[in-house]
Amino acid sequence: MEKMSRVTTALGGSVLTGRTMHCHLDAPANAISVCRDAAQVVVAGRSIFKIYAIEEEQFVEKLNLRVGRKPSLNLSCADVVWHQMDENLLATAATNGVVVTWNLGRPSRNKQDQLFTEHKRTVNKVCFHPTEAHVLLSGSQDGFMKCFDLRRKDSVSTFSGQSESVRDVQFSIRDYFTFASTFENGNVQLWDIRRPDRCERMFTAHNGPVFCCDWHPEDRGWLATGGRDKMVKVWDMATHRAKEVHCVQTIASVARVKWRPECRHHLATCSMMVDHNVYVWDVRRPFVPAAMFEEHRDVTTGIAWRHPHDPSFLLSGSKDSTLCQHLFRDASQPVERANPEGLCYGLFGDLAFAAKESLVATESGRKPYAGDRRHPIFFKRKLDPAEPFAGLASSALNIFEIEPGSGSMSWFVDTAERYALAGRSLAELCDHNAKVARELGRNQVAQTWTMLRIIYCSPGLVPTTNLNHSVGKGSSCGLPLMNSFNLKDVAPGLGSETRLDRSKGDTRSDTVLLDSSATLVPNEDNEETEGSDVPTDYLLGEVEGEDDELYLLDPEHAHSEEPEYVLPQEAFPLRHEIVDTPPGPEHLQDKADSPHVSGSEADAASLVPVDSSFSLISVSHALCDSRLPPDFFSALVCDMLRFYAEQGDVQMAVSVLIVLGERVRKDIDEQTQEHWYTSYIDLLQRFCLWNVSNQVVKLSTSRAISCLNQASTTLHVNCSHCKRPMSSRGWVCDRCRRCASMCAVCHHVVKGLFVWCQGCSHGGHLQHIMKWLEGSSHCPAGCGHLCEYS
Amino acid sequence: MVSVINTVDTSHEDMIHDAQMDYYGTRLATCSSDRSVKVFDVRNGGQVLVADLRGHEGPVWQVAWAHPMFGNILASCSYDRKVIIWKEENGTWEKAHEHSGHDSSVNSVCWAPHDYGLILACGSSDGAISLLTYTGLGQWEVKKINNAHTIGCNAVSWAPAVIPGSLIDQPSGQKPNYIKKFASGGCDNLIKLWKEEEDGQWKEEQKLEAHSDWVRDVAWAPSIGLPASTIASCSQDGRVFIWTCDDASGNTWSPKLLHKFNDVVWHVSWSITANILAVSGGDNKVTLWKESVDGQWVCISDVNKGQGSVSTSVTEGQQNEQ
């Protein structure tokens, strides 16, 4: 306490001012030390020993202590320390083991005062007693620490650490007789200056050398140590056993550590290698530095707070031959730059979000919204209430499930699994898929399928009488439209999606409006809606509203009520075909060019006219004509597919593409198709829908896609004669010059299925062998074996 | 409280900087200032800690999952200037590679589309972007783009493997000649697009300028049936831009302001079908945006992680109130 008040008095009235600045030194610095007046700093190195005055705007060289024509090794400094009570007293540790004291009060140019040549190797550290003017302590590479009384010619006492080299010695600020020393082997020792025979206490602080230590300026028991293990540890020495209270991990070995004045939990560090920056850490937040000074271009070798009671000025010297004054307010704060949030859109439309908890806490108390259907999952770390500390951060990690419709992907999986893409007639496929879509609440898609069925399939199944209802109340034009608009199926409430999608004038938006709830909207919007929309809406409204009824009328559709459709068998053949023609659509063709075109197909034709009144005319016209080739719509259908793809529903695009097959394929360029296929296949694989993905690959007509299934399957063939591996191509073995796999019956090479007897290993074409076995049970090769085939 | 299914401690001791779900959506990797990377199994709504990866010596900023065709591979980047590639073998995670080619904090990592093989792009505060390519047998080849962004690079994001137009003139059946591209965002307020030249060198292709402060995140939208290339970017200036490129040459990019938030916007993330964009900002809220048919971006919901309450269809007015 005594010392403290004296310092304060000494510097009482002065207020430190300055700015972030640096000056160039002639040589790399090894250590720096500040005079107690906080206006001068000494820089020492192998070939530099200078005192600089710290002025407002710059450093000014004040004194060069390296004098003499041929500077001796005594001037090659490893460390320097300025006495905190005597402005004229300095001590340096030389690399040759000499401890030198300097008296700036000497009138001559050479300020060298005393020379202690007791250490045998480099002295790493010198330290003045904080309150005793004449006591100097040194620690050396030779493993000894020596205490000098500056009034005597040699050391007062020698302390042997009994371990390796001494890296640092520091007098305790509060305990008059105590000092700490750190060692190359990771130990820290506590000594009583009066008892040189053995240390008071010893413990292993670090893994590897402990390069530095610093006593806390206020807290009596705290000692910070820094080591090559890249850690700074704070020890409470007041307890019976040294207790580690904090541990800060840095990214490089810690060369110096200095507690920050007036900030109980802060300390500054610099590294011995790799990292050139000076960091200030809050020991309670051991992972991110509180502040960082990035001025130096080479390793920082010395750091010192300019004034023992001012936390904002830090001085540093570096191997890059500069001396810097850092202002705390100019420091970069990595915490500020750090991203406090993590966000990820999951596969299933769920959202993972991690946010800084302090931010979250401020927002609590908000009322949750009613009708919330999402289910957040919390990952949370509670703040420790025992230590309220603003800088301490933790994050809450939540996963949000998004309600179906807006983002959840469960519809995708269900749809992919349940869609039928081949193996039945087009009408059945469309109906099945429409049903699947409807059951999943995707009315827009369901309607599209129904419409496709109407466009492309054999008509006559839909009774025309059904179509000649007038439009419901919503009809603003008042014209007798042929479709009734049934409101009963309109979903309660509008999904957000629907609202986004409505009222776009062009043809493509027609498909959007197919959403059941959307159909409600155009009802009121008819006047503004462009003509082409109107008939479509009604057409689709009709389909949506009445198709249950339709199915009831139509016995052929009775089966579509079956609960779940199993994927067609041919999706999983034992041996996949190499040809890439889709097996599906071929047998559907005949239905498509049926002679009779129904009223419903004629309805669809009304998509084309531009005005609602026209639509009626054209419809009736179409009804009379009753022959519109399905080709007529293909441009429209292609537009629709593109629309779905653009909306991210590539599933729909691909499914329709497969189901319709040749009908639309030629109208969409190969490249787009390929892109859709690859996107869809990729999505399916992400959802682990391997079977569906395989089916899509098989059904695709694009060569680039269908060869996907042929990739990465390797067959290794061995020659049947010499048993060696066959070359990659050809049927002749390279080694024995004979054809492998000859048919024993016809003596030709078997390409394709080869059956053989496991007993004698002869065989051949399936048909040949079967035929042979009808007449004889002996091997056709003539080996005499009684062949057995199962 | 509403619909909180579960409360689990991630046991991260400091701030979490990133959370990423894997390809199949079954695992979640988180990384934190506490130097650790954790992997959770989140199947069926559970959260089981499967791995706690320690190896970084500083805060870990970002994690990225590689495509599962390469195995279970996770990359992480940290303040300690290192990028670590972790690999799971027989249920245990191990460090497969450590890249320490940067002179400053590595802020972002992103795996290239699987079609190119294992390539990792890393953006660092030293202004450089490095590209690590796995060449087999545990070897990684490093290419470095120095001075990609002055002051530093904050985000990298790869273009999807199939860029519209890239397949033109490719006889089908042949392996398409992919043009590798990625976007980066940096402290110079710019978004840059990089393209691999035929000689394997990376060249700046475009410079997208619209933000007035550090670009915090860029996200190239997955190409699912989209005719255009789309990039979302967000910045310290609170603005989120959607960049689109319609022409086949890929040279004309036009920005569209999605929204100007009152605080820093940290992240943008696309849904897998690229039709919804999630945006998280300094006000600790996540908002979901969707493009309407007429090309306007509309907020369709916002997620407040404060108590996990989520509101549907919050209108502009409500949002501003909050």
Side-chain angles (χ1 to χ4, degrees), chain A residues 115-130:
Chain A
L115 213 64
F116 302 99
T117 50
E118 292 184 29
H119 284 294
K120 291 182 183 69
R121 297 180 63 192
T122 301
V123 178
N124 287 321
K125 202 79 191 178
V126 280
C127 176
F128 281 115
H129 194 275

Side-chain angles (χ1 to χ4, degrees), chain A residues 249 275 287 292 339 341 353 363 366 369 374 376-381 395 398 406 647 675 686, chain B residues 3 6 8 12 16-17 23-24 33 35 47 79 81 223 267 275-276 281 283 293 304-305 310 322:
Chain A
Q249 171 91 49
D275 196 356
F287 310 113
M292 172 163 104
N339 190 340
E341 294 177 342
F353 184 78
E363 284 194 37
R366 266 185 64 188
Y369 288 84
R374 270 161 270 197
I377 306 161
F378 272 84
F379 285 78
K380 206 165 189 176
R381 181 172 161 76
S395 295
N398 310 330
S406 72
Q647 292 293 300
H675 180 51
R686 286 195 81 160
Chain B
S3 47
N6 215 340
V8 171
H12 274 304
I16 297 170
H17 298 295
Y23 185 82
Y24 296 120
S33 272
R35 309 189 301 266
Q47 308 93 15
Y79 181 73
R81 302 155 188 210
S223 169
H267 278 296
N275 51 357
I276 301 173
D283 52 359
V293 207
N304 184 300
K305 35 292 180 202
V310 173
Q322 296 156 13

